[in-house]
Amino acid sequence: MPYSYGSEQQLLLFSFELLVHISNVSEGARQLVTMEAQSALSFQRPGARQFSNHGAASGRSPALEDKYPKFTNPQLNFTSGAVGHIFSSSSGMSSDFHFPSVVTNLSEKAPFIPQSLEIPQSTTSNQYMKETNNSSWCTDSLPDFLDYPQNTSIQSSNLEHSIMPSEDLLNYSQNTPIQSSNLEHNIMPSEDFGKQNDWQDWTDQLINEDDALTPDWNDILIDSNIADPEPKMAYHVGGSSTISMQTQPLIPQSSGETGVPLTPTPCGSGSQSKPRMRWTPELHEAFVEAVNKLGGSEKATPKGVLKQMKVEGLTIYHVKSHLQKYRTARYRPEPSAEGPSEKKTTSVEDFSSLELKTGLEITEALRLQMEVQKRLHEQLEIQRNLQLRIEEQGRYLQMMFEKQCKSGIDKFKASSSTEPPSLEANLNKPGSELVVGPSEEGSSKSGPDVSQPAKRAKVNA
Amino acid sequence: MKFGKRLKQHVEETLPGWRDMYLNYKDLKKLVRLISSSLEYGKSEEAEFVYLLNNEIEKFNVFFMEQEEDFIIRHKELQQRIKRVNESESSSQGEYEEEMARIRKDIVDFHGEMVLLVNYSNINYTGMAKILKKYDKRTGGVLRLPFIQKVLEQPFFTTELVSKLVKECETTIDELFPTVVVMEVEMKEAATMMAGEGIFRNTVAALMTMKEIRKGSSTQSHFSLPVLSLPDTELIRSFQLNSPIPIV
């Protein structure tokens, strides 16, 4: 059954949303869900044959993923564009998410690292934001920039980096409808300064630690600073960003990959661990090449590998831990990452028992295992896509709702009747915030996006 | 409570090293109940809740990225192993077969482990979505929608890379395994043999858990997932032979 966002549907969806807010789940919701479910499930294999070849089925997922340019482009870039990521732990989300009085409590536990704040020195001096995380973090930092322009000017004296994120945030915000709901969160400027100080402390700590381990740390710092005199961003903001400084790809000295973006993660725990790094196969390739050039995993040193790789933003910590894992993997082929006790004992038993069985039986057993695993994976992918879609739809509905509210109020204001207060009261009842902001643009942008999947659903169904 | 029970079961059955890495659903639920029943619900309670959620997210992210890194390394290593064994002229046919058998087993288990990580990601996301829904329902807040958007973009939920590795693995495996017609009887025997094995047992369990979780929501809304229908449920369920004695 085709399911597209026609105007009729929009009205239906809007009224449905309103009902949901005011009362409980309506029958219409169930119908929508089943309709959705039907169209979604029709993607799956008919399921007639057991253990059929899953190649075709798994091929569908990319098609599903293509529907969500907002979500998947960043990730696609991420995986194929050979971008590694560093995630530093911070309380970015939590502090932004709530009101100032609350945030001051949290900020002491976990320093906030908004993109705007730049670290003048140390490993994290080259901060590059990854787009997807920007979409989560930018949304929260956005109020900072909009409300407190003095922040950016203060920081700009430090580094040019700070301006770029704000620009990008503004650009990006127009594409993501969610911005509007975050705008009401006002963050006090004093917080940011406090956070910046925390961040400075962090980096100082990092530097001090490093000194003990690597006397040549300064070399590395200097090198990386020289190599990076101007701001670079590993952005692939799906074509939406128009920042002038944006597209300067990072040091593609090794196999053409970009550098290592630093991204804050929601850290409420205040554990001041090193920035988290997200490895990619391409980055690992570069690593292996570097190691081989230096004579193998035993001979290579972290420092040497780091220098050889010449990847911006990569720190010796990352290389060190990665090298350790690498060595382990080489000299104990296929160790189980977790649960060594359980897996190893079974595998020891199995090996002797396996030898008793014929090769054919073993192969069949493995084949069976593969089928189950493939099945599980397929289902997981489907489920994930559904979840993404559901949330996207939810956002769209919210957007529509807010847009309707806004236009409704505007109309009332224009006619200057005495109704507005009651209407507003009604609309405010469900607890949804009435926000002013780029909701129009957001909704108009999200409209076509959302209708795309519906159209494609039609095709696939 | 259904999800909570399912989650608990899953955690008990899962690989030992992973048990602490799952969502503290029970505790979060308790907090939600506490908040909703307390007379003065204010911003600070919500902040605390969010703080805990963020902690959980951080936990997932850290674990997920560690595993992912390991997988990247092992994936490459397996490919090297295959290359080496194919290129080594010196080994005898017997040795070759032996090494190939080992590689096959290892790669299938590796595939399974990666799938289990994707499963881990999904279960935790589901738990998060549920607890947020509960929170909104109990406290009348509007935390869920914006918060879940953030969760969607977290490293632990962006599983594209691991899925890609899984598919690459499948391609490699297809090349490694000779094409043979599968007999019903052999399949049953194979199932018996595999039942006790670590990774296989886990993937079967995960699949069944998923089906249970997706059975049907008591609070069906436009945010609920549809019911999961697996055509081979009975067959897969039959693999869950809980044999304490290792099958030889």
Side-chain angles (χ1 to χ4, degrees):
Chain A
M1 193 181 206
Y3 181 49
S4 60
Y5 285 90
S7 56
E8 245 181 289
Q9 296 284 14
Q10 284 178 353
L11 270 171
L12 181 66
L13 288 171
F14 166 64
S15 53
F16 153 72
E17 179 69 18
L18 209 48
L19 281 170
V20 168
H21 274 286
I22 294 169
S23 64
N24 286 328
V25 175
S26 66
E27 189 55 38
R30 282 198 200 96
Q31 284 176 4
L32 273 171
V33 172
T34 43
M35 271 169 71
E36 170 115 38
Q38 279 165 17
S39 60
L41 286 173
S42 63
F43 300 148
Q44 297 186 35
R45 296 180 298 114
R49 286 166 25 223
Q50 299 179 3
F51 299 150
S52 58
N53 191 334
H54 291 244
S58 51
R60 254 192 287 267
S61 344
L64 282 173
E65 283 189 13
D66 285 343
K67 291 182 196 170
Y68 311 112
K70 281 201 296 281
F71 302 120
T72 59
N73 270 348
Q75 280 91 6
L76 286 175
N77 283 336
F78 153 66
T79 54
S80 58
V83 177
H85 306 283
I86 304 180
F87 299 98
S88 61
S89 35
S90 75
S91 70
M93 270 328 284
S94 59
S95 53
D96 268 335
F97 215 69
H98 285 281
F99 300 88
S101 57
V102 167
V103 180
T104 44
N105 281 340
L106 295 174
S107 64
E108 57 194 58
K109 287 178 189 164
F112 172 66
I113 309 175
Q115 284 81 353
S116 65
L117 297 179
E118 201 53 52
I119 311 109
Q121 72 277 38
S122 94
T123 67
T124 49
S125 63
N126 306 308
Q127 273 195 24
Y128 310 101
M129 274 156 277
K130 181 170 180 323
E131 179 212 352
T132 50
N133 294 300
N134 269 334
S135 60
S136 58
W137 300 110
C138 285
T139 60
D140 305 296
S141 307
L142 184 61
D144 293 345
F145 294 106
L146 291 183
D147 294 337
Y148 305 106
Q150 63 260 34
N151 280 353
T152 52
S153 60
I154 285 164
Q155 284 143 17
S156 67
S157 62
N158 245 347
L159 307 131
E160 312 90 314
H161 292 231
S162 55
I163 299 177
M164 286 160 55
S166 70
E167 283 183 289
D168 194 67
L169 291 175
L170 290 173
N171 282 331
Y172 198 86
S173 71
Q174 285 154 16
N175 290 331
T176 50
I178 197 173
Q179 305 308 311
S180 56
S181 61
N182 284 325
L183 284 175
E184 67 165 61
H185 298 135
N186 293 315
I187 312 256
M188 317 272 266
S190 58
E191 262 167 34
D192 290 326
F193 299 142
K195 290 164 195 164
Q196 186 171 23
N197 290 336
D198 284 343
W199 184 234
Q200 298 269 7
D201 290 342
W202 258 35
T203 58
D204 286 341
Q205 281 187 27
L206 268 173
I207 295 167
N208 291 337
E209 279 179 51
D210 294 339
D211 278 341
L213 294 168
T214 53
D216 287 340
W217 189 237
N218 288 327
D219 286 353
I220 296 168
L221 283 175
I222 292 167
D223 282 350
S224 56
N225 279 335
I226 287 170
D228 179 34
E230 59 225 327
K232 295 186 184 72
M233 291 294 193
Y235 271 134
H236 304 277
V237 187
S240 63
S241 171
T242 55
I243 303 173
S244 52
M245 300 184 267
Q246 176 230 338
T247 46
Q248 190 163 28
L250 296 170
I251 316 296
Q253 276 153 8
S254 29
S255 44
E257 75 243 15
T258 52
V260 205
L262 183 80
T263 321
T265 50
C267 173
S269 65
S271 69
Q272 304 194 346
S273 50
K274 303 143 199 131
R276 280 247 129 234
M277 159 89 171
R278 199 168 188 187
W279 282 83
T280 67
E282 290 77 9
L283 209 53
H284 180 66
E285 281 279 346
F287 170 86
V288 170
E289 263 177 45
V291 164
N292 289 337
K293 278 204 183 113
L294 295 171
S297 58
E298 284 303 302
K299 278 194 182 156
T301 65
K303 199 177 74 180
V305 172
L306 182 68
K307 274 203 162 140
Q308 183 70 29
M309 281 176 77
K310 291 187 271 247
V311 172
E312 285 296 319
L314 194 60
T315 73
I316 195 143
Y317 279 124
H318 303 139
V319 176
K320 201 155 164 249
S321 72
H322 197 75
L323 186 61
Q324 206 166 13
K325 288 183 192 249
Y326 184 66
R327 283 176 182 155
T328 312
R330 299 216 92 192
Y331 293 101
R332 278 196 299 147
E334 259 325 277
S336 65
E338 299 301 328
S341 51
E342 175 179 311
K343 189 167 190 254
K344 279 207 174 138
T345 46
T346 48
S347 52
V348 164
E349 287 162 29
D350 294 341
F351 201 69
S352 50
S353 70
L354 281 175
E355 279 178 317
L356 296 174
K357 310 281 182 189
T358 66
L360 190 65
E361 276 182 25
I362 298 168
T363 313
E364 285 321 303
L366 290 175
R367 214 189 282 273
L368 189 69
Q369 183 176 347
M370 271 309 289
E371 289 303 330
V372 172
Q373 285 168 188
K374 272 182 176 173
R375 175 67 60 83
L376 177 58
H377 186 238
E378 186 188 43
Q379 289 301 324
L380 284 167
E381 282 192 303
I382 291 170
Q383 183 156 313
R384 181 164 179 270
N385 283 322
L386 273 178
Q387 285 164 334
L388 282 170
R389 189 151 166 221
I390 282 172
E391 293 307 327
E392 190 180 337
Q393 191 175 338
R395 272 209 339 265
Y396 177 71
L397 289 174
Q398 178 79 0
M399 194 46 42
M400 291 293 296
F401 178 65
E402 284 168 0
K403 193 178 172 189
Q404 291 285 342
C405 290
K406 183 173 180 290
S407 61
I409 285 180
D410 285 348
K411 273 189 204 146
F412 278 115
K413 278 185 181 161
S415 62
S416 62
S417 70
T418 53
E419 281 181 56
S422 55
L423 179 65
E424 274 174 323
N426 277 337
L427 292 167
N428 276 330
K429 221 190 271 176
S432 72
E433 56 276 14
L434 218 51
V435 286
V436 198
S439 56
E440 303 262 5
E441 214 163 343
S443 65
S444 63
K445 283 270 165 93
S446 72
D449 282 346
V450 178
S451 61
Q452 281 310 314
K455 281 189 196 146
R456 286 185 215 183
K458 208 169 145 184
V459 172
N460 282 341
Chain B
M1 196 52 210
K2 214 172 58 176
F3 177 80
K5 275 210 187 102
R6 288 285 153 212
L7 178 64
K8 187 161 167 246
Q9 231 173 30
H10 176 82
V11 167
E12 280 165 10
E13 289 171 343
T14 197
L15 300 166
W18 294 32
R19 283 193 196 129
D20 294 329
M21 298 297 165
Y22 281 87
L23 181 67
N24 278 327
Y25 189 73
K26 203 167 167 193
D27 291 338
L28 285 168
K29 237 177 65 166
K30 279 188 191 152
L31 181 61
V32 169
R33 222 173 265 150
L34 204 68
I35 291 177
S36 65
S37 60
S38 75
L39 290 171
E40 41 170 280
Y41 153 65
K43 310 280 187 283
S44 63
E45 276 84 6
E46 181 159 305
E48 187 184 338
F49 186 66
V50 168
Y51 176 78
L52 286 176
L53 286 180
N54 283 333
N55 274 359
E56 294 294 291
I57 291 177
E58 173 75 1
K59 182 174 76 179
F60 303 152
N61 283 340
V62 167
F63 178 69
F64 186 87
M65 290 195 282
E66 286 274 338
Q67 289 296 313
E68 195 183 48
E69 189 180 343
D70 274 333
F71 289 155
I72 291 174
I73 295 176
R74 280 157 71 189
H75 181 75
K76 181 129 175 73
E77 277 315 297
L78 273 167
Q79 288 178 334
Q80 295 286 68
R81 258 174 88 186
I82 293 169
K83 212 167 120 187
R84 274 200 304 263
V85 91
N86 279 329
E87 283 171 1
S88 77
E89 307 277 331
S90 55
S91 61
S92 68
Q93 184 63 19
E95 281 171 5
Y96 174 82
E97 283 301 326
E98 229 181 82
E99 179 62 15
M100 278 310 275
R102 258 184 245 125
I103 287 176
R104 273 194 218 109
K105 169 141 180 43
D106 286 344
I107 202 170
V108 170
D109 277 345
F110 176 62
H111 177 272
E113 229 181 297
M114 288 199 286
V115 174
L116 283 171
L117 187 69
V118 179
N119 185 55
Y120 162 88
S121 157
N122 206 283
I123 282 190
N124 286 321
Y125 173 83
T126 306
M128 279 245 134
K130 280 182 182 295
I131 200 75
L132 283 166
K133 185 175 168 186
K134 272 202 208 305
Y135 179 86
D136 276 0
K137 188 172 162 199
R138 289 284 190 124
T139 65
V142 277
L143 183 59
R144 203 199 75 88
L145 197 66
F147 196 89
I148 206 77
Q149 303 301 326
K150 175 187 88 156
V151 177
L152 287 174
E153 278 134 12
Q154 291 301 308
F156 85 89
F157 194 64
T158 52
T159 53
E160 280 84 357
L161 178 59
V162 179
S163 284
K164 189 175 100 161
L165 289 178
V166 166
K167 300 224 178 77
E168 280 178 23
C169 224
E170 283 167 15
T171 316
T172 314
I173 287 169
D174 282 339
E175 291 163 11
L176 287 184
F177 277 66
T179 45
V180 167
V181 177
V182 179
M183 307 280 282
E184 184 81 21
V185 175
E186 277 169 0
M187 278 233 293
K188 286 282 180 186
E189 279 178 9
T192 319
M193 196 175 95
M194 298 296 293
E197 310 242 330
I199 296 287
F200 183 55
R201 188 175 59 79
N202 274 290
T203 47
V204 169
L207 205 48
M208 295 315 299
T209 301
M210 191 190 219
K211 185 167 164 62
E212 288 299 317
I213 289 175
R214 290 265 301 270
K215 227 178 197 166
S217 169
S218 57
T219 54
Q220 186 80 348
S221 75
H222 61 297
F223 288 110
S224 304
L225 285 169
V227 175
L228 177 65
S229 59
L230 283 177
D232 313 311
T233 312
E234 285 317 308
L235 181 62
I236 294 172
R237 196 171 274 152
S238 71
F239 296 156
Q240 282 190 313
L241 309 174
N242 290 320
S243 54
I245 309 160
I247 295 168
V248 174

